[in-house]
Amino acid sequence: GINAEYGKQWYQRRVRGPTGGSEFKGLANIRQVNDLNGSLRDKYSKSEREMRCKLAALYRLTSHFEWDHIIYSHITARLPDNENHYLINPYGMQYSEITASSLIKVDKDGKIIDPGSTVLPVNKAGFKLNSALHETGQNIVYHTHSHAGTAISAMKCGLLNLCQEAIIVRPVSYGTYQGFVPNRAEQVQIKKDLNEDSHVMILENHGLVSVGRTIEETFLWMAQLTKACEIQWRVLRCGRDNLTDRTFDENKAFEGDLPVELECNPNGVEYGTGELEFESYMRMLDNQGANTGYPYKMPNIFKDQIPTYPAVQYPPIVPGMEGPPSDTDRSRTSTSKREAWFINTKVVEQRISPPSGRKSDEDAAGTGTGRDLPHLTR
């Protein structure tokens, strides 16, 4: 009755949203990241399909971490097949909407080569910053407007050595913010501001930038830089005099790439910088139903399979229904009634007896109740 109707209304408002999309991350109606099906699959080379999926997934992660700002800012990637072609997001889409097919292919001047699957344009003014950094030889340019990053970019002190993340991303380059639309002279200056051995840049009064060879590597540099900014942003509330700003020799702190790359070859699988971390987040997106199309180096990370019998019984149900709708019931049960059943259920853990001849861990240890509950099968 009332509970079922309330459940239906809650589902419409919160899960499906007013326009059929999801208001909550990870819930119903997630648009697939890898939507390169049919003719779209044949349209692009294998390397371009892979780059499109990775870049679209990176946009989704940026939205997940709330490093984006409405429809602004950009993440761009040089295509492996043509060093003068780049992928960029359509101007007008939120990061949470980006898919592999929606990405637009442009040349170094921002001219559209392939418009993608939307009718939206390219923000040429926004691409100028990224294109300038691509000219330094960087394959990926990742620009964010996170709260903490923008706050630190406005501080005279810059990024302090308050945590290991701040040390890992050293050396940090600083770029002078000249306005929304940089001219050619300002593009040249931005290129000079990026030190040859830097992977990250703080644009004064603007935001953060990371650059790298791969999507995975560039993501990890940004994640470490943003974490360092968040920590500094919070601890500065205690006052500068209460902080311990570490000093170190940048030439001896870390040699080579990020330290997380060292001794990081699980099961003999070799991972490059950022690949292990990025793969873990691809599992997160795929578990939410985003279908990233990511080429996992280690698809299965679990040693054992899921137990053959469940650990939790079916939960209680809405009054008037005997259980989950069966195949027969589905044909005559209204959609709203089925939705209401699932929404109004509450999971209640109950110990379930193992198959015949096998004692549960509690009974074997003498701590169980001795009750035998029927073995449930799905």
Coordinates of all heavy atoms in Angstrom, one line a residue, residues 89-127:
N89 N 36.9 16.4 -25.4 CA 35.5 16.3 -25.1 C 34.6 17.3 -25.8 O 35.1 18.4 -26.1 CB 35.3 16.4 -23.6 CG 35.8 17.7 -23.1 OD1 37.0 18.1 -23.4 ND2 35.1 18.4 -22.2
P90 N 33.4 16.9 -26.2 CA 32.5 17.9 -26.8 C 32.1 19.0 -25.8 O 31.9 18.7 -24.6 CB 31.2 17.1 -27.1 CG 31.7 15.6 -27.1 CD 32.8 15.6 -26.1
Y91 N 32.1 20.2 -26.2 CA 31.8 21.4 -25.4 C 30.3 21.4 -25.1 O 29.5 21.8 -26.0 CB 32.3 22.6 -26.0 CG 32.2 23.8 -25.1 CD1 32.8 23.8 -23.8 CD2 31.6 25.0 -25.5 CE1 32.8 24.9 -23.0 CE2 31.6 26.1 -24.6 CZ 32.2 26.1 -23.4 OH 32.2 27.1 -22.6
G92 N 29.9 21.1 -23.9 CA 28.5 21.0 -23.5 C 28.1 19.8 -22.8 O 27.0 19.7 -22.2
M93 N 29.0 18.8 -22.8 CA 28.7 17.5 -22.1 C 29.4 17.6 -20.7 O 30.5 18.0 -20.6 CB 29.2 16.3 -22.9 CG 28.4 16.0 -24.1 SD 29.0 14.5 -24.9 CE 28.3 13.2 -23.8
Q94 N 28.7 17.1 -19.7 CA 29.3 16.9 -18.4 C 30.3 15.7 -18.5 O 30.1 14.8 -19.3 CB 28.3 16.7 -17.3 CG 27.4 17.9 -17.0 CD 26.6 17.7 -15.8 OE1 26.8 16.8 -15.0 NE2 25.6 18.6 -15.7
Y95 N 31.2 15.7 -17.6 CA 32.2 14.6 -17.7 C 31.6 13.2 -17.4 O 32.0 12.2 -17.9 CB 33.3 14.8 -16.6 CG 34.4 15.8 -17.0 CD1 34.1 16.8 -18.0 CD2 35.6 15.8 -16.4 CE1 35.1 17.7 -18.4 CE2 36.6 16.7 -16.8 CZ 36.4 17.6 -17.7 OH 37.3 18.5 -18.1
S96 N 30.5 13.2 -16.7 CA 29.8 11.9 -16.3 C 29.0 11.4 -17.5 O 28.6 10.2 -17.5 CB 28.8 12.2 -15.2 OG 27.8 13.1 -15.5
E97 N 28.9 12.2 -18.6 CA 28.2 11.7 -19.8 C 29.1 11.2 -20.9 O 28.7 10.6 -21.9 CB 27.4 12.9 -20.4 CG 26.3 13.4 -19.4 CD 25.6 14.6 -20.1 OE1 26.2 15.7 -20.2 OE2 24.4 14.5 -20.4
I98 N 30.4 11.5 -20.8 CA 31.3 11.2 -21.9 C 31.4 9.7 -22.2 O 31.5 8.9 -21.3 CB 32.7 11.7 -21.6 CG1 32.7 13.2 -21.3 CG2 33.7 11.4 -22.7 CD1 32.4 14.1 -22.5
T99 N 31.4 9.4 -23.5 CA 31.5 8.0 -24.0 C 32.7 8.0 -25.0 O 33.1 9.1 -25.5 CB 30.3 7.5 -24.6 OG1 30.0 8.2 -25.8 CG2 29.1 7.6 -23.7
A100 N 33.1 6.8 -25.4 CA 34.2 6.7 -26.4 C 33.8 7.3 -27.7 O 34.6 8.0 -28.3 CB 34.5 5.2 -26.5
S101 N 32.5 7.1 -28.1 CA 32.1 7.6 -29.4 C 31.9 9.1 -29.5 O 31.9 9.8 -30.5 CB 30.9 6.9 -29.9 OG 29.7 7.3 -29.1
S102 N 31.6 9.7 -28.3 CA 31.3 11.1 -28.2 C 32.5 12.0 -28.4 O 32.4 13.2 -28.7 CB 30.6 11.5 -26.9 OG 31.5 11.3 -25.8
L103 N 33.7 11.5 -28.1 CA 35.0 12.3 -28.2 C 35.2 12.8 -29.6 O 35.0 12.1 -30.6 CB 36.2 11.4 -27.7 CG 36.1 11.0 -26.2 CD1 37.2 10.0 -25.9 CD2 36.3 12.3 -25.4
I104 N 35.7 14.0 -29.7 CA 35.9 14.6 -31.0 C 37.4 14.6 -31.4 O 38.2 14.8 -30.5 CB 35.4 16.1 -31.0 CG1 33.9 16.1 -30.6 CG2 35.7 16.8 -32.3 CD1 33.4 17.5 -30.5
K105 N 37.7 14.3 -32.6 CA 39.0 14.2 -33.1 C 39.4 15.6 -33.8 O 38.6 16.0 -34.7 CB 39.2 13.1 -34.1 CG 40.7 12.9 -34.6 CD 40.8 11.9 -35.7 CE 40.2 10.6 -35.4 NZ 40.4 9.7 -36.6
V106 N 40.4 16.2 -33.3 CA 40.8 17.5 -33.9 C 42.3 17.5 -34.3 O 43.1 16.6 -33.8 CB 40.6 18.7 -32.9 CG1 39.1 18.8 -32.5 CG2 41.4 18.4 -31.6
D107 N 42.7 18.5 -35.1 CA 44.1 18.6 -35.4 C 44.8 19.5 -34.4 O 44.1 20.0 -33.4 CB 44.3 19.1 -36.8 CG 43.8 20.5 -37.1 OD1 43.4 21.2 -36.1 OD2 43.6 20.9 -38.2
K108 N 46.0 19.9 -34.6 CA 46.8 20.7 -33.6 C 46.2 22.1 -33.4 O 46.5 22.8 -32.4 CB 48.2 20.8 -34.0 CG 48.5 21.4 -35.3 CD 50.0 21.4 -35.6 CE 50.3 22.1 -37.0 NZ 51.7 22.1 -37.2
D109 N 45.5 22.6 -34.4 CA 44.9 23.9 -34.3 C 43.4 23.9 -33.8 O 42.8 24.9 -33.8 CB 44.9 24.6 -35.7 CG 46.3 24.8 -36.2 OD1 47.2 25.2 -35.4 OD2 46.6 24.5 -37.4
G110 N 42.9 22.7 -33.5 CA 41.6 22.6 -33.0 C 40.5 22.4 -34.1 O 39.3 22.4 -33.8
K111 N 40.9 22.2 -35.3 CA 40.0 22.0 -36.4 C 39.5 20.6 -36.3 O 40.2 19.6 -36.1 CB 40.7 22.2 -37.7 CG 39.7 22.0 -38.9 CD 40.5 22.2 -40.3 CE 39.6 22.0 -41.4 NZ 40.3 22.2 -42.7
I112 N 38.1 20.4 -36.5 CA 37.5 19.1 -36.3 C 37.8 18.2 -37.5 O 37.6 18.6 -38.6 CB 36.0 19.3 -36.1 CG1 35.7 20.0 -34.8 CG2 35.3 17.9 -36.1 CD1 34.2 20.3 -34.6
I113 N 38.3 17.0 -37.2 CA 38.6 16.0 -38.1 C 37.4 15.0 -38.1 O 37.0 14.5 -39.2 CB 39.9 15.3 -37.9 CG1 41.0 16.3 -37.8 CG2 40.2 14.2 -38.9 CD1 41.3 17.0 -39.1
D114 N 37.0 14.6 -36.9 CA 35.8 13.7 -36.7 C 35.0 14.2 -35.6 O 35.4 14.4 -34.5 CB 36.4 12.3 -36.4 CG 35.3 11.2 -36.3 OD1 34.1 11.6 -35.9 OD2 35.5 10.1 -36.5
P115 N 33.7 14.6 -35.9 CA 32.8 15.2 -34.9 C 32.3 14.3 -33.8 O 31.7 14.8 -32.8 CB 31.7 15.8 -35.7 CG 31.6 14.8 -36.9 CD 33.0 14.4 -37.2
G116 N 32.6 13.0 -33.9 CA 32.1 12.1 -32.9 C 30.6 11.8 -33.1 O 30.0 12.1 -34.1
S117 N 30.0 11.3 -32.0 CA 28.6 10.9 -32.1 C 27.6 12.0 -31.6 O 26.4 11.7 -31.5 CB 28.4 9.6 -31.3 OG 28.7 9.8 -30.0
T118 N 28.1 13.2 -31.3 CA 27.2 14.2 -30.8 C 27.1 15.4 -31.8 O 27.9 15.4 -32.8 CB 27.6 14.8 -29.4 OG1 28.7 15.6 -29.6 CG2 27.9 13.6 -28.5
V119 N 26.2 16.3 -31.5 CA 26.1 17.5 -32.4 C 26.8 18.7 -31.7 O 26.7 19.8 -32.2 CB 24.7 17.9 -32.7 CG1 24.0 16.7 -33.4 CG2 23.9 18.1 -31.4
L120 N 27.6 18.5 -30.7 CA 28.2 19.5 -29.9 C 29.5 19.9 -30.5 O 30.2 19.1 -31.2 CB 28.4 19.1 -28.5 CG 27.1 18.8 -27.7 CD1 27.4 18.2 -26.3 CD2 26.3 20.1 -27.5
P121 N 30.0 21.2 -30.3 CA 31.2 21.7 -30.9 C 32.4 21.4 -30.0 O 32.3 20.8 -28.9 CB 30.9 23.2 -31.0 CG 30.1 23.5 -29.8 CD 29.2 22.3 -29.6
V122 N 33.5 22.0 -30.4 CA 34.8 21.9 -29.7 C 35.0 23.3 -29.1 O 34.8 24.3 -29.8 CB 36.0 21.5 -30.5 CG1 37.3 21.8 -29.8 CG2 35.9 20.1 -30.9
N123 N 35.5 23.4 -27.9 CA 35.9 24.7 -27.3 C 37.3 25.0 -27.7 O 38.3 24.6 -27.0 CB 35.8 24.6 -25.7 CG 36.1 25.9 -25.1 OD1 36.4 26.9 -25.7 ND2 36.1 25.9 -23.7
K124 N 37.5 25.7 -28.8 CA 38.8 25.9 -29.4 C 39.6 26.8 -28.4 O 40.9 26.6 -28.3 CB 38.7 26.6 -30.7 CG 38.1 25.7 -31.8 CD 38.2 26.4 -33.2 CE 37.7 25.5 -34.3 NZ 37.8 26.2 -35.6
A125 N 39.0 27.7 -27.7 CA 39.8 28.5 -26.8 C 40.3 27.6 -25.7 O 41.5 27.8 -25.2 CB 38.9 29.6 -26.2
G126 N 39.5 26.7 -25.2 CA 40.0 25.8 -24.1 C 41.1 24.9 -24.6 O 42.0 24.4 -23.8
F127 N 41.1 24.5 -25.9 CA 42.1 23.6 -26.4 C 43.4 24.2 -26.6 O 44.4 23.5 -26.6 CB 41.6 23.1 -27.8 CG 42.5 22.1 -28.4 CD1 42.8 20.9 -27.8 CD2 43.1 22.4 -29.6 CE1 43.7 20.0 -28.4 CE2 44.0 21.5 -30.2 CZ 44.3 20.3 -29.6

